[in-house]
């Protein structure tokens, strides 16, 4: 059904554009995912772009919904700011992160006059040209080491073409679209590794789809979406570069083992320092955002260090760490495109420290912050990111049992063999991961991991938020609670003393190994005190200590 043309850029045009762009990326998603070969053959570039735009579109719809019960409608500034913020917090992967910055750059221009009271601002072709230029420039500035032949090149070409166009928003949008298509077709000649493979850039392909939607929003006329039309040699094998964006060096060399992404609350000075330190630590660094909220994306070998640098800079959250897999998965060489690893572990973890620990052990992690449990869709995406034929899923929380089961069922419909181990705590997950052996038969591996988790008693030490009845009596707000296997067993005034009592009760039934996961808000001496207690009172029992970061509980305890 044809769209009603929009002469000027207003809030309705933003809404229309987001809806059309989401549809365009939805149609192109499988195509882009399916032929993704470089630098990581993980088949998620189209999905990452789609999820980023979906978050932007959802935010815009929320703004419009807020006006449904009252008078008036959102301003252009309301709509573009929502679009930019939604993309920022929902950005996935390298290309999704850059797309978020492109939308933010446009919003910075379009919102300058979008707060006018009384008369809605009329952003015309001139304003759109300025917005496209700001978008391209800000995206390039967000990348540590820009490389030509990527989405950055396509964005710059779109802005250049727009600057030479005359007329209304429709004419400018069409010029930008045609400029982007021509630049996309030229990417194989700009980056050697693309030319060898006969491919175009995935991020650029996605941007072309988004700009095509912009044309349709202003003219009511749909554009061609055939990616093959953008490739000079119609007989060449057409592929799309996976999230390469600006991180490719053109040599096809092996890259780091992990992708780390997180949102970060921090000031500009701290982020400038973070950029320098992450750039020295890894590759493919993209930091986008501003006004105290940032989206950080980097490829590293030390995932824990990348997260810790974020902790030092401010407050990181929504942390996602993905293990790229084994062997030559970074280059796609020596194996067919989309080669999956045989087996992977996907785990929900409660804190940044454990996220790093699990990732270093080879797991794909999903961070669950206090009060923000992951939805089944997030777990499904994590299973897809693991890019394995067989996946062991560790929810590490009794409350996530049904969510994890739904995610496992969805993944099975996609042809992935998934085993759900009902771990109730991160310490049970650690025990399971310790005996994980990918070389074993899948069923045997799952049995061993399940056995190790089941043999681990778990406890946590938390602070009561309000007065409540518990299995150990009435607690007051501020009391320290010791929960064993999910039930309150100890109520006390002191963290260290309560933790000691909990540990004693757990070891009364025996044990060979005590695992302590210490949160940021726990007393600095609690781990040392508990280690000494074990050495003095329990012969032949070992203790291991991990730092959990902002994990909600002051202390997690496991006894095997």
């Amino acid at each position: 059904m044809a769209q009603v043309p929009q002469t000027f850029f207003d809030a309705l045009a933003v809404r229309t554009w987001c809806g059309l762009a989401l549809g365009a990326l939805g149609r192109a998603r499988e195509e882009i995912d399916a032929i993704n070969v470089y630098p990581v053959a993980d088949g998620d570039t189209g999905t990452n772009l789609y999820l980023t735009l979906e978050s932007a579109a959802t935010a815009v719809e929320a703004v419009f919904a807020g006006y449904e019960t009252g008078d008036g409608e959102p301003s252009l500034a309301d709509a573009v700011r929502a679009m930019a913020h939604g993309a920022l917090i929902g950005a996935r992967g390298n290309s999704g992160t850059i797309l978020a910055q492109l939308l933010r750059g446009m919003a910075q221009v379009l919102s300058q006059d979008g707060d006018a009271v009384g008369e809605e601002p009329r952003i015309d072709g001139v304003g759109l040209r300025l917005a496209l230029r700001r978008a391209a420039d800000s995206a390039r500035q967000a990348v540590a080491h820009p490389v030509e032949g990527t989405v950055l090149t396509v964005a710059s070409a779109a802005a250049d073409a727009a600057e030479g166009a005359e007329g209304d928003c429709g004419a400018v949008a069409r010029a930008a679209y045609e400029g982007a298509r021509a630049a996309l077709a030229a990417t194989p000649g700009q980056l050697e590794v693309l030319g060898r493979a006969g491919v175009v850039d995935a991020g650029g392909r996605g941007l072309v789809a988004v700009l095509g939607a912009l044309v349709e929003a202003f003219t009511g006329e749909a554009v061609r979406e055939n990616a093959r039309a953008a490739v000079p040699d119609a007989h060449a094998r057409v592929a799309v570069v996976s999230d390469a964006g600006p991180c490719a060096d053109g040599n096809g060399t092996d890259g780091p083992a992990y992708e780390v992404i997180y949102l970060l609350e921090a000031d500009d000075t701290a982020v400038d320092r973070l950029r320098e330190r992450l750039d020295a630590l890894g590759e493919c660094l993209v930091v986008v955002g501003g006004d105290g909220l940032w989206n950080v994306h980097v490829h590293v070998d030390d995932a824990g260090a990348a997260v810790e640098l974020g902790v030092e800079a401010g407050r990181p959250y929504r942390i996602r760490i993905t293990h790229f897999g084994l062997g030559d998965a970074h280059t796609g060489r020596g194996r067919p495109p989309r080669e999956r690893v045989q087996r992977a572990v996907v785990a929900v973890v409660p804190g940044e420290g454990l996220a790093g620990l699990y990732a270093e052990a080879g797991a794909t992690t999903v961070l669950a912050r206090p009060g923000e449990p992951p939805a089944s869709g997030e777990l499904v995406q994590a299973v897809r990111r693991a890019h394995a034929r067989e996946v062991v899923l560790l929810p590490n929380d009794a409350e996530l049992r049904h969510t994890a089961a739904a995610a496992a069922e969805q993944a099975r419909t996609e042809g992935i063999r998934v085993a759900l181990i009902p771990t109730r705590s991160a310490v049970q997950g650690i025990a399971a991961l310790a005996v994980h052996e990918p070389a074993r038969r899948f069923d045997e591996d799952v049995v061993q991991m399940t056995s190790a988790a089941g043999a681990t008693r778990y406890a946590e030490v938390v602070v009561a938020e309000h007065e409540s009845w518990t299995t150990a009596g009435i607690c007051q707000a501020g009391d320290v609670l010791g929960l064993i296997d999910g039930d309150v067993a100890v109520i006390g005034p002191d963290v260290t003393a309560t933790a000691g009592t909990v540990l004693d009760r757990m070891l009364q039934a025996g044990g060979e190994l005590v695992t302590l996961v210490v949160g940021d808000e726990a007393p600095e001496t609690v781990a040392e005190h508990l280690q000494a207690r074990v050495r003095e009172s329990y012969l032949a029992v070992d203790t291991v200590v991990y730092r959990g970061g902002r994990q909600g509980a002051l202390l997690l305890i496991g006894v095997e």
Side-chain angles (χ1 to χ4, degrees):
M1 181 176 179
Q3 296 292 322
V4 177
Q6 295 282 140
T7 305
F8 295 97
F9 217 141
D10 57 13
L12 181 59
V14 175
R15 185 186 199 182
T16 302
W17 178 33
C18 286
L20 291 170
L22 188 62
L25 287 175
R27 291 187 292 273
R29 176 170 59 170
E30 290 186 6
E31 165 210 324
I32 296 174
D33 282 347
I35 52 179
N36 145 33
V37 298
Y38 178 87
V40 183
D42 51 1
D44 64 356
T45 299
T47 298
N48 285 339
L49 290 167
Y50 178 86
L51 291 173
T52 302
L53 207 290
E54 181 181 48
S55 183
T58 299
V60 172
E61 289 301 321
V63 168
F64 273 86
Y67 281 82
E68 287 180 355
T69 57
D71 296 330
E73 61 183 24
S75 68
L76 173 60
D78 292 333
V80 294
R81 286 169 182 162
M83 174 186 71
H85 181 74
L88 178 67
I89 64 174
R92 301 294 184 93
N94 200 349
S95 293
T97 305
I98 293 173
L99 176 60
Q101 188 67 5
L102 288 167
L103 296 180
R104 177 180 172 81
M106 291 189 69
Q108 288 174 331
V109 173
L110 297 175
S111 64
Q112 287 178 355
D113 298 318
D115 284 316
V117 177
E119 181 176 328
E120 176 68 11
R122 298 166 67 85
I123 300 296
D124 56 12
V126 174
L128 180 56
R129 289 201 297 267
L130 294 173
L132 290 168
R133 172 51 62 196
R134 175 73 67 85
D137 292 347
S138 63
R140 190 170 288 269
Q141 292 166 5
V143 175
H145 302 286
V147 173
E148 298 306 325
T150 67
V151 62
L152 299 178
T153 304
V154 176
S156 294
D160 291 344
E163 287 179 345
E166 298 292 339
D168 61 13
C169 287
V172 173
R174 187 173 295 280
Y177 169 73
E178 295 297 343
R181 287 187 77 248
L184 178 65
T187 54
Q190 293 176 293
L191 200 56
E192 181 182 354
V193 66
L194 307 189
R196 288 199 305 266
V199 306
V200 293
D201 175 66
R205 168 69 179 96
L207 180 57
V208 167
V210 171
L211 290 173
L214 187 63
V215 174
E216 186 174 355
F218 286 122
T219 67
E221 300 174 3
V223 300
R224 292 190 296 175
E225 292 185 1
N226 187 353
R228 293 177 184 269
V231 180
D233 181 1
H235 300 288
R237 179 174 64 87
V238 179
V240 177
V241 177
S242 157
D243 269 8
C247 70
D249 61 7
N251 299 321
T253 56
D254 289 344
Y258 303 99
E259 178 186 59
V260 179
I261 306 174
Y262 49 80
L263 293 179
L264 178 69
E265 293 178 356
D267 60 37
D268 291 0
T269 301
V271 170
D272 287 343
R273 174 61 176 153
L274 177 65
R275 289 179 196 269
E276 295 177 4
R277 300 178 73 182
L278 285 177
D279 190 29
L281 183 68
E283 300 175 1
C284 302
L285 175 63
V286 185
V287 181
V288 304
D291 302 320
L293 180 62
W294 309 82
N295 190 305
V296 178
H297 171 282
V298 67
H299 294 179
V300 293
D301 283 318
D302 189 342
V307 174
E308 286 300 320
L309 288 177
V311 173
E312 293 177 17
R315 186 178 82 88
Y317 61 104
R318 292 195 185 181
I319 299 169
R320 294 192 298 273
I321 300 176
T322 303
H323 189 281
F324 283 132
L326 304 175
D328 56 359
H330 284 274
T331 65
R333 291 184 175 184
R335 61 174 66 176
R338 290 185 53 77
E339 179 76 12
R340 293 180 179 271
V341 297
Q342 182 61 31
R343 190 174 308 157
V345 175
V346 172
V348 180
V349 293
E352 299 91 344
L354 282 180
L357 173 68
Y358 271 74
E360 288 168 5
T364 296
T365 62
V366 178
L367 188 69
R369 299 196 63 81
E372 299 179 16
S376 62
E378 292 180 73
L379 299 186
V380 172
Q381 285 302 320
V383 170
R384 291 170 180 159
R385 293 201 314 270
H387 204 64
R389 298 182 182 91
E390 302 166 339
V391 171
V392 180
L393 181 58
L394 306 175
N396 291 340
D397 186 338
E399 299 296 324
L400 290 177
R401 180 182 59 178
H402 296 300
T403 300
E409 188 62 31
Q410 173 62 36
R412 291 183 187 117
T413 67
E414 300 176 10
I416 304 170
R417 189 179 185 187
V418 181
L420 171 61
I421 298 179
T423 47
R424 301 181 179 183
S425 170
V427 292
Q428 288 189 325
I430 291 172
L433 200 55
V435 300
H436 171 52
E437 179 49 67
R440 277 196 295 246
R441 289 178 54 250
F442 184 61
D443 292 339
E444 293 177 358
D445 198 28
V446 171
V447 167
Q448 291 298 319
M449 295 177 72
T450 302
S451 177
T456 303
R457 299 190 68 196
Y458 64 95
E460 59 181 318
V461 177
V462 300
V463 176
E465 296 181 356
H466 49 74
E467 181 180 353
S468 178
W469 287 88
T470 76
T471 52
I474 300 175
C475 71
Q476 305 296 325
D479 282 348
V480 179
L481 308 181
L483 290 79
I484 299 177
D485 294 337
D487 295 323
V488 177
V490 181
I491 301 174
D494 178 77
V495 174
T496 301
T498 301
T501 302
V502 168
L503 185 56
D504 285 340
R505 292 193 184 183
M506 296 178 74
L507 287 172
Q508 285 175 359
E512 298 176 354
L513 176 65
V514 172
T515 300
L516 304 174
V517 183
V518 185
D520 281 351
E521 298 181 2
E524 293 184 2
T525 59
V526 65
E528 182 180 343
H529 174 84
L530 294 177
Q531 284 180 295
R533 193 186 194 100
V534 171
R535 284 196 303 268
E536 295 168 3
S537 304
Y538 303 95
L539 298 178
V541 176
D542 295 324
T543 305
V544 60
V545 179
Y546 300 110
R547 297 291 169 181
R550 297 180 177 90
Q551 62 182 21
L554 299 174
L555 180 70
L556 301 178
I557 303 174
V559 174
E560 302 175 47

